[in-house]
Amino acid sequence: MNRFYKSIAAATLVALMAGGFSAEAATRGKKKKKDFDLGANPLANVQSKQPDKELYDKAMQAMKKGRYDVARLDLQTMLNTYPESEYRMRAKLAVGDSWYKEGGSAALTQAEAEYQDFITFFPDAPEAAEAKMKVADIYYQQMEKPDRDYTNAQDAEQQYRDMINMFPDSSLIPRAKQKLRDVQEVLAEREAQIGLYYGSRENFNASIARLQTVADTFPLYSKSDQVWIGIGDAYAGEARAIQMAPNVAGAVRERLSSIYQDRAAAAYARVITRYPMAPHVEDARDRLVIMNRPVPEPTETAIAESDAEERSRQPLRFTDKTLDILKRGPITVEAVHVGEPSLGDPKRILAPDLTKENIALYQGAMNPGGTGSATPAATTGVNEPPRSDQPSAAPLEGRVVGSGTSVGAEVVSAPAADPNALVKPVGPTSTALPAPEKAAEAPIQVNDINKPVAAPTTTAANSKAKKPKVDLGEDSSSTKKKKKGLGKLNPF
């Protein structure tokens, strides 16, 4: 009997202990859920029964279910009814989120306007950085490929830069910098493609202007080594063009060619010293060797920096290339994930400025010892009088004219005129007009069978001549004739 009671007591104790453990576990689970809700929404308070809070929670539930119009209606009702509510700031931001999540060009435009209003009304709030970030994300989502319209890419770059400069202490800064690197990868790709195309067409000034802008503005571009090699190739092409120019003197040709070759060698050396771990660094070394120029050695810091940049890039896979065909936006997997993106635009290099620089280099090469650039004076034409800025022509006696050909003629001086001779008037001595000459007779007209045609006479006999009779036969006459045979049956 005692054994029976002991077993019942043990069972009761076990049940009580199990119930206590289950209650504690349930309490711990509720506590974790409450903490999660507070972390997701700092304004969540399940114990609050305020009407503005009820409207805010109702709008959040509608937004989770995709009923964005209902959510906006509840949020606007709360903002209009309770303008002093503590939830008005989150409600104003939630209105923009409803448009942002709805998607579409019109909805994204409205979302941008709502976020800009939020930044205007609450510039010092921590959520202002979030609103600015979403404005930049709106343009980021609408970016096109590098060879398409780049307006959205430029706007996205400007918005990310403004966000980083306006809110440097925000927790969203790392994400904004990475997005800025992706956008700059797209812009740099566009400029580089245009510059390389101009280089392939031997338009060297335009090619250098585009590529130099990319190299100065976007140093973290994934193909910066190719950009610098393109700059060097363009300068080398200008050196070759000067060497082949037929109208340039030999000394001027050598000076200009040396200048352009020095610039090409500097561009190739830049690839080795700044991007020593890039894929095309060996191409730059080979070009320097061909030019008989020294090959520089990169520093340890440059090697480590370049290696970190190359390791942070993701390789372009086959799926990415396939997705690039189907996707509207660009593929930015090759963008770097380390380094500081450029937050300011340097002065853009233009092709006309390079043309003016080339003219100045040409003038300086013509006058290496002069202080200023000398412009070659224009020569006078064959029938133009000599100008005051031109030197007097040397006498032609003894010169050979036409030395460019195989045959030359020597100019002989004419005998001097007698100074005591009488001056005779120039021109005809008689002022009478000559008699008019008789007009030549017209040739006799010849017809197709080369028979002369008799000249028409004006005598009265010929004018009254009888006209030839008209042939009234069946074949040649056009007069109406009587029908014969079966023709009588045809009424027409």
Side-chain angles (χ1 to χ4, degrees), residues 51-103:
D52 54 345
K53 180 62 171 61
E54 291 291 336
L55 286 173
Y56 181 79
D57 291 340
K58 182 181 177 182
M60 293 298 102
Q61 291 295 329
M63 192 178 300
K64 289 181 180 179
K65 296 179 181 180
R67 301 170 63 185
Y68 303 111
D69 51 350
V70 176
R72 284 192 293 270
L73 182 60
D74 294 336
L75 292 172
Q76 291 293 345
T77 302
M78 193 209 81
L79 292 173
N80 297 332
T81 308
Y82 307 99
E84 302 297 331
S85 174
E86 58 179 337
Y87 304 105
R88 67 185 186 279
M89 185 172 62
R90 296 296 305 182
K92 183 68 175 175
L93 185 62
V95 172
D97 292 340
S98 65
W99 288 110
Y100 181 81
K101 293 180 180 180
E102 184 175 346

Side-chain angles (χ1 to χ4, degrees), residues 5-133:
Y5 286 119
K6 289 180 179 179
S7 61
I8 292 176
T12 304
L13 181 61
V14 171
L16 291 174
M17 292 176 65
F21 289 141
S22 62
E24 183 179 358
T27 304
R28 189 184 301 111
K30 291 181 179 179
K31 185 177 180 181
K32 288 184 178 180
K33 183 176 181 181
K34 183 177 179 181
D35 295 340
F36 176 76
D37 292 339
L38 289 174
N41 186 1
L43 299 180
N45 187 4
V46 295
Q47 302 297 332
S48 178
K49 297 298 182 182
Q50 300 176 2
D52 54 345
K53 180 62 171 61
E54 291 291 336
L55 286 173
Y56 181 79
D57 291 340
K58 182 181 177 182
M60 293 298 102
Q61 291 295 329
M63 192 178 300
K64 289 181 180 179
K65 296 179 181 180
R67 301 170 63 185
Y68 303 111
D69 51 350
V70 176
R72 284 192 293 270
L73 182 60
D74 294 336
L75 292 172
Q76 291 293 345
T77 302
M78 193 209 81
L79 292 173
N80 297 332
T81 308
Y82 307 99
E84 302 297 331
S85 174
E86 58 179 337
Y87 304 105
R88 67 185 186 279
M89 185 172 62
R90 296 296 305 182
K92 183 68 175 175
L93 185 62
V95 172
D97 292 340
S98 65
W99 288 110
Y100 181 81
K101 293 180 180 180
E102 184 175 346
S105 59
L108 291 177
T109 303
Q110 189 66 30
E112 180 187 359
E114 294 292 339
Y115 289 137
Q116 295 290 359
D117 290 344
F118 181 86
I119 297 172
T120 303
F121 286 110
F122 308 99
D124 299 330
E127 290 81 1
E130 179 183 352
K132 192 67 175 178
M133 186 73 181

Side-chain angles (χ1 to χ4, degrees), residues 8 15 54 92 97 109 168 188 197 277 290 352-353 361 418 447:
I8 292 176
E54 291 291 336
K92 183 68 175 175
D97 292 340
T109 303
Y197 172 79
M277 304 301 294
I290 293 174
D353 297 337
L361 289 175
D418 186 5
N447 58 5

Side-chain angles (χ1 to χ4, degrees), residues 370-389:
T371 57
S373 61
T375 304
T379 58
T380 56
V382 178
N383 298 323
E384 295 179 1
R387 300 197 305 267
S388 60
D389 59 344

Side-chain angles (χ1 to χ4, degrees), residues 154-456:
Q154 284 185 328
D155 293 338
E157 182 192 21
Q158 188 61 43
Q159 293 297 331
Y160 284 126
R161 286 179 175 178
D162 294 344
M163 187 266 171
I164 295 172
N165 294 327
M166 292 171 60
F167 309 98
D169 298 331
S170 175
S171 60
L172 299 174
I173 291 297
R175 180 175 176 271
K177 287 185 177 181
Q178 184 55 45
K179 290 289 186 180
L180 182 57
R181 295 188 194 100
D182 296 343
V183 175
Q184 290 180 351
E185 179 76 13
V186 177
L187 294 175
E189 179 69 20
R190 174 184 178 274
E191 293 288 331
Q193 288 181 2
I194 297 174
L196 294 176
Y197 172 79
Y198 282 138
S200 64
R201 295 291 185 244
E202 297 185 356
N203 190 348
F204 300 123
N205 287 340
S207 177
I208 294 172
R210 294 280 185 169
L211 296 178
Q212 191 67 48
T213 301
V214 174
D216 296 341
T217 311
F218 310 112
L220 298 179
Y221 176 46
S222 60
K223 300 176 183 176
S224 295
D225 53 340
Q226 299 183 25
V227 169
W228 281 106
I229 291 176
I231 294 173
D233 292 344
Y235 280 122
E238 288 191 346
R240 290 193 301 269
I242 287 296
Q243 290 287 350
M244 298 174 60
N247 299 326
V248 181
V252 176
R253 183 185 298 114
E254 293 299 328
R255 295 191 191 100
L256 290 178
S257 177
S258 177
I259 292 174
Y260 291 133
Q261 287 180 359
D262 291 342
R263 294 186 178 185
Y268 297 144
R270 179 65 177 173
V271 179
I272 301 174
T273 56
R274 174 58 181 86
Y275 307 97
M277 304 301 294
H280 298 275
V281 68
E282 294 299 329
D283 296 338
R285 293 179 185 271
D286 295 340
R287 284 169 168 80
L288 288 176
V289 171
I290 293 174
M291 296 174 64
N292 294 325
R293 298 299 178 96
V295 179
E297 292 295 333
T299 61
E300 296 294 336
T301 305
I303 294 175
E305 182 180 1
S306 179
D307 184 65
E309 291 176 358
E310 296 301 326
R311 289 180 180 273
S312 66
R313 308 183 197 276
Q314 298 180 7
L316 191 62
R317 298 170 295 183
F318 176 76
T319 54
D320 298 327
K321 297 180 180 179
T322 306
L323 186 61
D324 189 26
I325 301 175
L326 305 176
K327 185 181 176 182
R328 174 186 175 184
I331 301 297
T332 58
V333 296
E334 293 182 313
V336 69
H337 288 72
V338 295
E340 291 294 327
S342 59
L343 300 179
D345 286 333
K347 184 179 179 181
R348 187 179 183 88
I349 300 175
L350 302 177
D353 297 337
L354 293 178
T355 302
K356 295 178 182 178
E357 183 181 357
N358 290 337
I359 294 174
L361 289 175
Y362 179 77
Q363 294 175 351
M366 290 184 63
N367 300 314
T371 57
S373 61
T375 304
T379 58
T380 56
V382 178
N383 298 323
E384 295 179 1
R387 300 197 305 267
S388 60
D389 59 344
Q390 293 292 330
S392 59
L396 298 178
E397 288 81 8
R399 293 187 182 183
V400 177
V401 181
S403 59
T405 59
S406 59
V407 179
E410 184 177 359
V411 178
V412 182
S413 60
D418 186 5
N420 298 323
L422 297 177
V423 179
K424 296 181 179 180
V426 179
T429 57
S430 177
T431 58
L433 297 177
E437 297 181 359
K438 184 180 180 181
E441 297 181 357
I444 299 175
Q445 184 179 359
V446 180
N447 58 5
D448 294 341
I449 58 176
N450 298 327
K451 291 183 178 180
V453 179

